[in-house]
Amino acid sequence: MRKWITLLMTCLVGSASYVNAMGDVNLFAGYRHDNIDVKHRSPAQNFKASTKFKNIDIFQIGINARSTLGCNFYARAEASWGWVLDGDLKRHASLFKHGHDAFHSSGPSFDLCEQNSHETTLDDRYVYDANIAIGYPFYFCDCSAILAPVIGYAVDAQNLSAYDNGFEFVGTRCSEHIRSGSDCCKNTFTNRWYGPFVGLDFAYRPCNACFSLYAAFEYHWGTFKAKRSNHSNDFDDHERHADMDGWVVDLGADYEVCGPWTIGLYLKFTDFSASKRKHCDESYYYSGHGRKDKNSANWNSYAVNVEVGRQF
């Protein structure tokens, strides 16, 4: 019995030593830049509309951690919060003659009845992101390098606002016009991207070296949801959802400055898209059988962060 206890303690001590050799916790802060494009197309109502958030400047802070637990388990997690500093909102709407396929990005000029657009400046708000993943580590180079396939779950959200009039119809059928709405007020836009992901993590810390490298490649899929504050004069959907997928790439490098303490550079690139077709409501301006509304969205982002961490 004593031998088994001695063996167990030896394994635990060895595992703990290895965890200390490969684990780290980092606080980071930096600049992030986002672009978001949300579109809605409805053949039944003969219109298409787009909402573009351009050149969103964000200051963000966050924390991440990575560790191996024993020889067969790898885990990491990250959470961040960002404040929107600046950005532009551009909304565009087009109204077509009956029978025109509003799913087409363009068409003959005589098919277009009316279009309107306006641009304004974002009035701050915030973004947040969180993810967690687990995997199985494979060791190389005398255990100084790790390659770990992972599976995880992530949530990314953008909460934006701007003083925006929206749009409204004036007239009937193709004699109708699209004009800026009459209710000028603060309009909020909330976008959420969430779902599971699979990926591959790489970590490298040479023995007796003062630096370490990290990289992660992820493929995401799941759900996109968009919601904006309700105005009765706006004619497009106030809530939308669609199936989404996309890629995330993380790159990092840390340098040891004092014992286990490190400073480093952390880069993150995100490219998501979402699309969904749904049966249209033909009770409003009937335009033919079999056509479907389409909601789509695209989000791309890059972030440059400075991090301070501690290795274990």
Side-chain angles (χ1 to χ4, degrees), residues 175-252:
S175 64
E176 82 185 331
H177 302 280
I178 303 173
R179 72 180 184 188
S180 294
S182 56
D183 294 335
C184 181
C185 62
K186 196 170 185 178
N187 210 339
T188 59
F189 304 83
T190 302
N191 304 317
R192 287 198 302 153
W193 314 73
Y194 57 92
F197 66 86
V198 294
L200 189 66
D201 284 21
F202 171 77
Y204 178 56
R205 186 185 303 170
C207 296
N208 301 319
C210 296
F211 70 93
S212 61
L213 303 175
Y214 170 76
F217 304 90
E218 302 168 359
Y219 172 71
H220 291 242
W221 71 94
T223 302
F224 164 74
K225 284 189 176 181
K227 182 179 181 180
R228 63 178 174 81
S229 52
N230 190 15
H231 288 288
S232 59
N233 58 359
D234 267 1
F235 51 84
D236 57 339
D237 287 349
H238 300 292
E239 293 190 32
R240 306 170 186 169
H241 69 277
D243 301 323
M244 74 87 176
D245 66 344
W247 297 88
V248 175
V249 177
D250 293 347
L251 301 172

Side-chain angles (χ1 to χ4, degrees), residues 8 12 65 90 128 140 142 150 174 192 257 259-260 280 301-302 312:
L8 178 61
L12 290 175
K90 183 176 181 180
Y128 64 86
F140 305 92
D142 293 330
V150 299
C174 208
R192 287 198 302 153
V257 292
C280 56
S301 171
Y302 69 84
F312 296 96

Side-chain angles (χ1 to χ4, degrees), residues 119-139:
E119 190 166 351
T120 186
T121 302
L122 292 179
D123 186 39
D124 57 59
R125 302 291 281 181
Y126 58 87
V127 300
Y128 64 86
D129 310 273
N131 64 75
I132 187 170
I134 59 174
Y136 186 91
F138 296 92
Y139 304 103

Side-chain angles (χ1 to χ4, degrees), residues 138-172:
F138 296 92
Y139 304 103
F140 305 92
C141 303
D142 293 330
C143 296
S144 62
I146 291 179
L147 193 64
V150 299
I151 183 169
Y153 194 89
V155 178
D156 304 280
Q158 303 97 26
N159 194 314
L160 310 170
S161 67
Y163 286 92
D164 175 58
N165 287 14
F167 298 104
E168 64 183 2
F169 284 131
V170 180
T172 59

Side-chain angles (χ1 to χ4, degrees), residues 12-70:
L12 290 175
V13 171
S15 297
S17 299
Y18 194 82
V19 171
N20 289 342
M22 299 303 293
D24 60 81
V25 176
N26 301 282
L27 298 174
F28 62 87
Y31 170 78
R32 172 172 147 184
H33 183 276
D34 283 17
N35 286 297
I36 307 167
D37 187 3
V38 182
K39 296 179 180 179
H40 178 69
R41 296 167 180 161
S42 176
Q45 299 183 30
N46 298 293
F47 79 86
K48 60 181 179 180
S50 66
T51 302
K52 294 183 179 181
F53 306 91
K54 302 186 301 180
N55 302 319
I56 307 173
D57 296 325
I58 301 166
F59 172 74
Q60 69 174 5
I61 60 174
I63 183 172
N64 60 43
R66 295 179 294 271
S67 181
T68 53
L69 303 178

